[in-house]
Amino acid sequence: MRLPRRPRLLIPVAITLIAIVILFFVFAGFFTDWLWFDSVGYTSVFSTMVVTQLLLFLIGALLMTGIVGGNMIIAYRSRPLFGMGMFGGGQTQGADRYRAALDPHRKLIFIAGMAVLALFTGSSTAGQWRTWLLFLNGTPFHVIDPEFKYDVSFFMFTYPFIRVVLNFLFTAVIISIIVAAIVHYLYGGFRLQSPGLHAARAARVHLSVLVGLFVLLKAVAYWVDRFGLVFSDRGKTFGASYTDVNAVLPAKTILAIIALICAALFFAGIFRPGGMLPGVGFGLLVLSAVLVGGVYPALVEQFQVKPNQQSKENEYIDRNIKATRDAYGVASAEVTPYSAKTQGTQQELQSEVATIPGVRLLDPTVLAPTFEQLQQIKGYYQFPEQLDVDRYTIDGVSRDTVVAVREIGSAPDGNWINNHLVYTHGFGFVAGQGSKIDSQGKPDFMVKDIPPTNGLGPFEPRIYFGEHSPEYSIVGGDKKIELDFPEQSTNGQGSGQENTTYTGKGGVPIGNFFTRLLYAGKYSETNLLLSSDINSKSRILYNREPRQRVQQVAPFLTLDGDPYPAIVNKHIVWIVDGYTMSEDYPYSERRSFGEMTRDTSTDRLLTAQQPRDHINYIRNSVKATVDAYDGTVSLYAWDDKDPLLQTWQKAFPGVIKAKSEIKPELMEHLRYPEDLFKVQRDILGNYHVTDANAFYGQQDFWKVPEDPASSKTKQPPYYVTMKMPNETNPRFSLTTTMVPNKRDNLAAFMSVDATGAAGTKIQILQLPSDTTIPGPKQAQNVFDTKAANVLNELRIGGTTETINGNLLTLPFGGGLLYVQPVYVQPKVQNSARYPTLSRVLVMFGSDVGIGFTLKDALDQVFGQGTQPPANPTTPLTPDQPSTGATTDLTKAYDDAQKAYDDGQTAIKNGDFAAYGAAQKRLEQALKDLQAALGKQQKPGPSPSATPSPTPTPASSAAAANGATPTPTPTPGS
């Protein structure tokens, strides 16, 4: 039945329209990508990637279709003239039926098959653009492989490319064998019939050549596989082992020679009919692969290596140690024996206390709700769940600072105009000094509010490019319709908000109809065409997340999971660390990047989770910045001696700026990246051991301790300003602790200068193995036990709960000092609750101090009269009391302090009667203190530091909270 004429005409019209729509969306995606790269000034990256991928696609598609299609044509043209009956009628019926069905459509089938093959092969080949560019631009490492005496660059750049080429040729030959056999079978070139295979000479010659080529490629692959032994995981460590070098390596050479002989036997089948020679060749190849390639190395491993593994593998373990330490950038790590004493003279310890800077007590993981409640201002703003730690110079001294930006969140009314034209950007930078709090335990913000205060100088506060920016926004134009910041209306007058229009250079101009049409297609949004608020000056902002922008312009980098904001040259910029990585460094240990960087923050998704790709080489090669206002992306070569970075610089010339172009204002905020440090500490858990025999024994291996706040998850490293032993000045550092395998006591303390100073190297304080020093989990248990009374008092009537902050470990007085802030927040789940700092816990040896401030806690452990830290917190009361109140308050404090000191003396002397009398005097003094505080404008002792002596923390806490004080002796006394 024939279709009517009109429906027959509609089918091609419909197909044409569908094709036009598909092509439009493909073009829209491609052209808008080009417009984006042009807007950030990196069109050379886009063009290099597109041209490279297009060329590889065409080369791969043409080669594959040429090889496979050519063999199909050869098979067809060499078909027997009377193929239907040359081997007998009864056996040809099956093939003839298939041939009869397919033959009328053979051209269409051939074209469609080649098109599909070209599409898949071209896509696969184009995906190898990184391998091709590395091969084309490879830079020598000037490090020689100990086995083959080749430069490491051969294994990093050349060997992977050779493997890609071999895989491509193997695929082409195998597909050619299959399709040629099918064509020969369909057109009578051979038949499967009793008593065997019957083939025409043309079919036999053709298939013999193809199989011979396959075996020839196998010979080449055996030879190339020899170099792959440097990536073997057969032995005790990664890399070529004793068996690999002494059994597998010669076996691969022998197999390559045997494969050449077998290939010759298959080629001989061209001239000699019958299957004897190909059969002999096939049998020889299989037998040699089993005996030479499998059985012989297994025998060597079983009977030579395993009984003497330590001596046999010693040389190869040593190779692995050296290569791994070099590839992960830890070869310069210094391991220093550290006694970690638990006691010292009062004079020594008090002198050491005087050198402690303002240790960061604000935990960036805990305080996100506090920042949000105190500085969100309006519900459509938001802060990240993980705050960041940076440092700023305040009063001439570098201070740890907890920072965040106030980004735009969800619009109150989520219509298209609000989402994309009105609520376009965040506003403001919020910074709190890490060791400074106010009288209520809240961060003492240096920069806060809207408009922002100038605690760090003036800066552009608008955040158009951030971690939580909308997918896209239309900005600029003649009318001010963008919400800039909320404004307090007066007497009901005013709109309650200040509006603005974007004047920066970021984004893509979207004023003309054609561009709007393309973006309407890209986002499937007709409002982009119909909205009258979009005019000739409008711009569209997208790809706004800092990591995303850097990844787009530097696709050869892997980025750190935690970008952080900083004020640089009066602008807020995002700083992103970029890594060059590889899995092809010979002998270096391969591990999963995702597993090495996994800890509490990634499990809680506070920072980006890294892919679980295996790597064995990493460098922090690039520092990148993204301007939060105009989106400008800048890349700087940080490790300009990295050969892998130099290779990418050849592939993408002019994209990465020289390290010398980093401005001093930016240099002040660059830091040692967290993910790199996580990788290096994971490696150093084993590879701090540099002796091959000791490494084999594994007795001194370490691991990262579990986070005391989250079981079975690794403790994250911490940024903190501290002083290493034998150093005179504290420095901004990234620190971690290590514990022995299967134990929780402390094995080592690890630190690196996080300021990015020249010659930065990891320093490791290795504790004696015959002394048990508490690790983080054990220290947390001590805190939980000895501070139980105080913490229970903080949980008033079950209405509040305590939160343990980051447990910091600091070298101190020849030992190690644990410092932990404790926060309090309402227990009732509601959107308004947030934690405030309430106590500071300190432990040195077996002594524990519990104070409102670090000084309070240190005084309890090391005695009264210690000097205040270099970064004191706010005074006890912000407002000055009256003269009478001052007198009463001073007397109450003096009486409380005297009673407390008498009680401590009594309990040390075992005089419990005197201790009881002192506690009664202390209780009365605290009541007087509470009464005196009632005369203040803001009653209640502050959890801030005060230069004057303070009573015991438990008693003061009770007084401050209006509870009946429960005097307790100093824990650990």
Side-chain angles (χ1 to χ4, degrees):
M1 179 179 175
R2 293 172 60 88
L3 290 172
R5 181 176 178 82
R6 183 169 296 176
R8 280 189 292 160
L9 290 175
L10 289 176
I11 292 175
V13 171
I15 293 174
T16 303
L17 289 176
I18 293 173
I20 290 174
V21 171
I22 293 174
L23 288 174
F24 168 74
F25 281 105
V26 171
F27 176 76
F30 176 83
F31 194 69
T32 53
D33 284 347
W34 184 87
L35 290 174
W36 185 87
F37 276 93
D38 183 58
S39 71
V40 292
Y42 287 91
T43 52
S44 62
V45 174
F46 183 74
S47 60
T48 298
M49 287 194 300
V50 169
V51 170
T52 302
Q53 292 180 59
L54 183 60
L55 286 176
L56 290 175
F57 182 95
L58 292 175
I59 291 171
L62 290 174
L63 280 177
M64 184 63 73
T65 55
I67 294 170
V68 176
N71 279 285
M72 289 182 70
I73 293 172
I74 291 172
Y76 177 76
R77 290 186 175 179
S78 61
R79 68 192 184 281
L81 186 58
F82 304 104
M84 294 175 63
M86 68 175 297
F87 296 118
Q91 303 295 332
T92 66
Q93 293 180 5
D96 290 342
R97 285 198 301 269
Y98 292 128
R99 181 187 60 78
L102 299 176
D103 193 61
H105 310 290
R106 65 178 183 273
K107 289 185 178 179
L108 180 61
I109 293 172
F110 176 80
I111 293 171
M114 291 300 101
V116 171
L117 183 62
L119 180 63
F120 281 98
T121 304
S123 300
S124 176
T125 309
Q128 299 294 333
W129 64 271
R130 290 180 175 85
T131 303
W132 165 248
L133 289 177
L134 289 173
F135 169 73
L136 196 65
N137 301 282
T139 303
F141 276 68
H142 301 295
V143 176
I144 303 301
D145 154 61
E147 184 59 40
F148 298 100
K149 311 306 178 184
Y150 285 2
D151 189 89
V152 166
S153 60
F154 170 81
F155 302 95
M156 295 278 279
F157 308 134
T158 306
Y159 177 76
F161 178 72
I162 294 174
R163 298 301 313 178
V164 168
V165 172
L166 281 174
N167 289 336
F168 178 88
L169 293 177
F170 270 119
T171 304
V173 172
I174 290 171
I175 295 176
S176 295
I177 292 172
I178 294 172
V179 298
I182 292 172
V183 172
H184 281 301
Y185 177 74
L186 290 176
Y187 288 93
F190 66 87
R191 288 288 184 266
L192 299 172
Q193 64 182 44
S194 179
L197 176 66
H198 296 267
R201 184 178 186 280
R204 176 171 52 81
V205 169
H206 188 193
L207 293 177
S208 293
V209 170
L210 288 176
V211 175
L213 286 173
F214 175 84
V215 178
L216 188 62
L217 283 173
K218 192 64 180 174
V220 176
Y222 277 133
W223 184 261
V224 173
D225 284 347
R226 297 162 65 252
F227 304 112
L229 293 176
V230 297
F231 306 121
S232 170
D233 57 2
R234 179 194 300 269
K236 184 70 174 176
T237 56
F238 188 83
S241 64
Y242 178 90
T243 301
D244 291 318
V245 172
N246 295 278
V248 179
L249 182 59
K252 292 286 185 183
T253 305
I254 294 170
L255 286 172
I257 296 171
I258 292 174
L260 283 174
I261 296 172
C262 293
L265 292 175
F266 277 103
F267 289 135
I270 299 172
F271 308 102
R272 181 172 178 176
M276 186 185 72
L277 290 181
V280 171
F282 179 77
L284 179 61
L285 187 64
V286 172
L287 185 63
S288 60
V290 172
L291 295 179
V292 180
V295 175
Y296 174 59
L299 292 174
V300 172
E301 178 75 17
Q302 182 66 36
F303 296 104
Q304 289 190 35
V305 176
K306 285 190 175 180
N308 310 283
Q309 191 177 44
Q310 183 168 357
S311 60
K312 294 289 186 182
E313 297 284 12
N314 188 280
E315 176 186 355
Y316 307 100
I317 294 174
D318 188 63
R319 291 180 181 182
N320 170 264
I321 293 172
K322 291 178 179 177
T324 301
R325 288 171 61 86
D326 181 64
Y328 286 95
V330 297
S332 61
E334 282 186 356
V335 179
T336 304
Y338 191 64
S339 62
K341 61 184 180 181
T342 58
Q343 294 184 5
T345 66
Q346 287 290 93
Q347 184 176 3
E348 289 176 341
L349 296 177
Q350 289 186 9
S351 174
E352 187 78 10
V353 168
T355 68
I356 295 180
V359 173
R360 178 179 57 77
L361 300 178
L362 299 186
D363 186 342
T365 302
V366 172
L367 287 177
T370 306
F371 269 54
E372 185 166 295
Q373 288 298 318
L374 300 179
Q375 285 297 309
Q376 186 181 22
I377 309 298
K378 292 290 184 180
Y380 46 76
Y381 289 124
Q382 65 175 334
F383 285 95
E385 294 184 28
Q386 168 81 36
L387 308 179
D388 290 295
V389 179
D390 197 0
R391 74 275 188 197
Y392 286 86
T393 301
I394 302 168
D395 299 329
V397 180
S398 179
R399 310 291 192 191
D400 292 358
T401 309
V402 177
V403 300
V405 294
R406 187 184 296 105
E407 296 202 49
I408 197 69
S410 300
D413 180 7
N415 58 60
W416 183 82
I417 292 176
N418 276 342
N419 286 339
H420 300 290
L421 275 72
V422 176
Y423 293 86
T424 60
H425 61 280
F427 198 97
F429 184 90
V430 179
Q433 193 168 314
S435 58
K436 196 171 183 180
I437 55 175
D438 68 9
S439 60
Q440 298 177 351
K442 304 172 186 176
D444 189 6
F445 296 109
M446 298 180 292
V447 182
K448 61 179 181 177
D449 297 340
I450 297 178
T453 57
N454 289 335
L456 297 175
F459 60 92
E460 169 57 62
R462 294 166 183 84
I463 313 295
Y464 280 91
F465 298 87
E467 293 181 291
H468 301 285
S469 296
E471 180 184 13
Y472 69 91
S473 295
I474 312 299
V475 299
D478 298 323
K479 294 186 292 184
K480 291 186 176 182
I481 61 173
E482 300 173 46
L483 167 68
D484 200 24
F485 57 86
E487 184 181 46
Q488 185 68 39
S489 58
T490 306
N491 299 324
Q493 301 296 317
S495 63
Q497 69 180 47
E498 183 74 20
N499 287 350
T500 188
T501 188
Y502 183 68
T503 58
K505 61 181 181 180
V508 177
I510 198 175
N512 65 72
F513 177 80
F514 178 68
T515 307
R516 291 170 69 175
L517 178 64
L518 292 178
Y519 281 100
K522 179 181 178 71
Y523 292 108
S524 302
E525 181 55 69
T526 57
N527 284 318
L528 286 168
L529 287 174
L530 303 176
S531 176
S532 61
D533 291 320
I534 302 176
N535 54 56
S536 60
K537 296 181 181 179
S538 297
R539 309 174 79 88
I540 182 169
L541 310 180
Y542 60 104
N543 291 348
R544 303 166 72 178
E545 200 271 321
R547 291 179 82 248
Q548 181 185 20
R549 293 179 75 80
V550 176
Q551 194 69 79
Q552 289 281 94
V553 302
F556 46 87
L557 295 177
T558 300
L559 303 180
D560 192 88
D562 186 24
Y564 59 99
I567 298 177
V568 178
N569 292 326
K570 300 181 180 180
H571 275 249
I572 299 174
V573 298
W574 294 94
I575 300 175
V576 186
D577 284 283
Y579 307 117
T580 45
M581 294 181 180
S582 177
E583 62 173 356
D584 295 318
Y585 197 97
Y587 286 98
S588 176
E589 180 77 10
R590 278 183 186 164
R591 292 189 183 178
S592 166
F593 183 51
E595 284 299 317
M596 287 190 287
T597 56
R598 180 188 173 199
D599 59 19
T600 307
S601 60
T602 58
D603 275 12
R604 293 170 59 190
L605 299 181
L606 302 180
T607 60
Q609 204 158 18
Q610 297 290 8
R612 298 194 175 186
D613 298 332
H614 282 74
I615 65 169
N616 66 358
Y617 177 89
I618 184 172
R619 290 291 185 273
N620 177 210
S621 53
V622 171
K623 299 287 186 181
T625 63
V626 177
D627 191 293
Y629 183 71
D630 61 27
T632 300
V633 180
S634 299
L635 306 175
Y636 301 96
W638 184 246
D639 186 354
D640 49 13
K641 293 182 173 59
D642 174 25
L644 189 50
L645 176 64
Q646 293 172 1
T647 298
W648 286 122
Q649 286 179 297
K650 292 178 185 177
F652 295 92
V655 170
I656 301 175
K657 300 177 183 178
K659 184 176 182 179
S660 58
E661 294 187 42
I662 300 178
K663 298 291 193 327
E665 294 83 358
L666 174 59
M667 187 70 77
E668 291 177 0
H669 297 283
L670 299 182
R671 67 186 193 186
Y672 202 89
E674 196 168 350
D675 280 347
L676 175 64
F677 190 68
K678 291 178 186 179
V679 168
Q680 291 176 327
R681 72 173 179 177
D682 190 87
I683 291 297
L684 283 169
N686 294 356
Y687 288 90
H688 69 279
V689 179
T690 56
D691 179 77
N693 289 319
F695 192 96
Y696 180 87
Q698 301 183 3
Q699 295 96 340
D700 200 25
F701 282 5
W702 306 329
K703 66 176 182 179
V704 180
E706 294 177 357
D707 190 344
S710 177
S711 61
K712 297 184 179 179
T713 305
K714 288 184 289 188
Q715 185 182 39
Y718 296 124
Y719 289 103
V720 62
T721 296
M722 48 148 281
K723 184 172 71 69
M724 288 291 283
N726 302 320
E727 292 183 354
T728 56
N729 297 314
R731 53 181 169 81
F732 186 63
S733 304
L734 186 54
T735 67
T736 189
T737 54
M738 304 294 283
V739 297
N741 284 335
K742 300 180 180 180
R743 295 181 64 193
D744 290 319
N745 59 287
L746 204 62
F749 174 83
M750 192 179 302
S751 170
V752 66
D753 184 351
T755 63
T760 297
K761 57 187 175 183
I762 295 175
Q763 293 179 278
I764 302 172
L765 303 180
Q766 183 171 7
L767 278 62
S769 57
D770 57 352
T771 303
T772 301
I773 306 296
K777 287 185 69 175
Q778 295 170 329
Q780 187 68 63
N781 289 337
V782 173
F783 280 149
D784 291 344
T785 301
K786 292 197 174 184
N789 290 338
V790 175
L791 297 180
N792 286 334
E793 290 176 9
L794 296 177
R795 305 177 187 123
I796 304 171
T799 60
T800 59
E801 61 183 358
T802 57
I803 301 173
N804 292 327
N806 42 211
L807 182 59
L808 302 177
T809 309
L810 307 172
F812 176 86
L816 290 166
L817 181 74
Y818 281 106
V819 177
Q820 183 175 52
V822 177
Y823 300 86
V824 174
Q825 71 176 8
K827 196 170 185 178
V828 177
Q829 296 282 347
N830 61 65
S831 60
R833 71 173 190 161
Y834 60 88
T836 55
L837 182 64
S838 180
R839 294 293 186 276
V840 180
L841 310 180
V842 168
M843 183 173 78
F844 183 82
S846 59
D847 295 330
V848 175
I850 310 164
F852 288 110
T853 65
L854 178 62
K855 180 185 182 302
D856 291 342
L858 291 172
D859 282 348
Q860 294 177 38
V861 175
F862 304 119
Q864 300 289 335
T866 58
Q867 297 297 317
N871 184 15
T873 54
T874 53
L876 180 64
T877 53
D879 301 316
Q880 291 298 323
S882 64
T883 304
T886 302
T887 302
D888 294 341
L889 186 62
T890 302
K891 184 177 185 305
Y893 263 108
D894 290 343
D895 292 343
Q897 187 63 60
K898 181 68 166 58
Y900 171 74
D901 291 342
D902 291 344
Q904 295 304 299
T905 302
I907 201 168
K908 287 180 180 179
N909 295 331
D911 189 349
F912 293 99
Y915 175 75
Q919 292 306 299
K920 290 181 179 179
R921 288 190 289 113
L922 177 60
E923 182 176 359
Q924 182 59 48
L926 289 173
K927 289 180 180 179
D928 296 339
L929 174 63
Q930 187 173 357
L933 288 172
K935 301 177 183 179
Q936 305 296 321
Q937 294 180 2
K938 294 183 179 179
S942 164
S944 306
T946 174
S948 58
T950 56
T952 178
S955 305
S956 300
N961 291 316
T964 303
T966 305
T968 56
T970 304
S973 299

